[in-house]
Amino acid sequence: MVESIFHQTAADVYQYVLTHKEQYPEVRITADHDEFIAVQAVNGIIVFPKKWALMEVKQKYIDVPDTFNSETFKQALNRSGFEVDADKNFTASTAQVFLTELYERVDGEEQHK
C-alpha cells in the first residue's frame, strides 16, 4: 500500500499506523523522498521505532486490561523485538518499571547514532 502522508504530525502518523497495521502485512513510512524508514509495522506489530513499539505494548498490555498477564506481556515484548528471559515474571507495576528502563535504554541508543 502506497499512500502519501506527507507533512503530518507524529500523532497523525502513529494513528495512521494503528489504523492500517492490522489490514496489511507491512506498513512502512519513509522519511522525505529517500528510503530511510521512519515507522514500520509488520504483521500487525509496530517494530520501528523501538520507542513506538514500547508505547504500543504499554497501551495494550498495561494501560487497558483489567487484569495483567505476565506471559502475554512477555510475548508482546518478544514480538516487538525485545528479548525477555522466559523465567522472568512481571506484575503490572514491575512491567511498567521494566518498560521505562527499556525506553530509556532505547532513547540512549538513538541519541548516540
Side-chain angles (χ1 to χ4, degrees), residues 14 18 21 54-69 72-73 92-93 95-96 99:
Y14 184 71
L18 289 180
K21 69 186 179 78
L54 291 170
M55 186 168 57
E56 181 181 37
V57 169
K58 180 181 180 294
Q59 289 173 341
K60 275 184 155 178
Y61 299 98
I62 295 177
D63 294 348
V64 174
D66 293 330
T67 59
F68 176 80
N69 183 304
T72 304
F73 174 72
S93 61
Q96 177 65 49
L99 278 178

Side-chain angles (χ1 to χ4, degrees), residues 11-111:
D12 293 335
V13 172
Y14 184 71
Q15 189 57 50
Y16 177 89
V17 172
L18 289 180
T19 302
H20 292 89
K21 69 186 179 78
E22 301 293 336
Q23 299 171 348
Y24 301 96
E26 181 178 29
V27 175
R28 184 183 307 167
I29 311 295
T30 57
D32 300 321
H33 296 290
D34 59 17
E35 291 300 312
F36 173 74
I37 297 174
V39 182
Q40 183 177 24
V42 178
N43 297 323
I45 300 165
I46 296 173
V47 294
F48 188 82
K50 291 298 184 186
K51 286 182 179 181
W52 285 21
L54 291 170
M55 186 168 57
E56 181 181 37
V57 169
K58 180 181 180 294
Q59 289 173 341
K60 275 184 155 178
Y61 299 98
I62 295 177
D63 294 348
V64 174
D66 293 330
T67 59
F68 176 80
N69 183 304
S70 182
E71 283 304 311
T72 304
F73 174 72
K74 289 189 294 189
Q75 291 169 6
L77 284 173
N78 287 328
R79 284 191 308 269
S80 296
F82 296 94
E83 303 255 344
V84 179
D85 182 11
D87 297 333
K88 188 159 183 72
N89 289 311
F90 293 96
T91 64
S93 61
T94 60
Q96 177 65 49
V97 169
F98 188 74
L99 278 178
T100 300
E101 290 170 356
L102 282 175
Y103 192 88
E104 289 170 354
R105 188 175 338 145
V106 167
D107 189 39
E109 290 172 5
E110 289 176 355
Q111 289 179 6

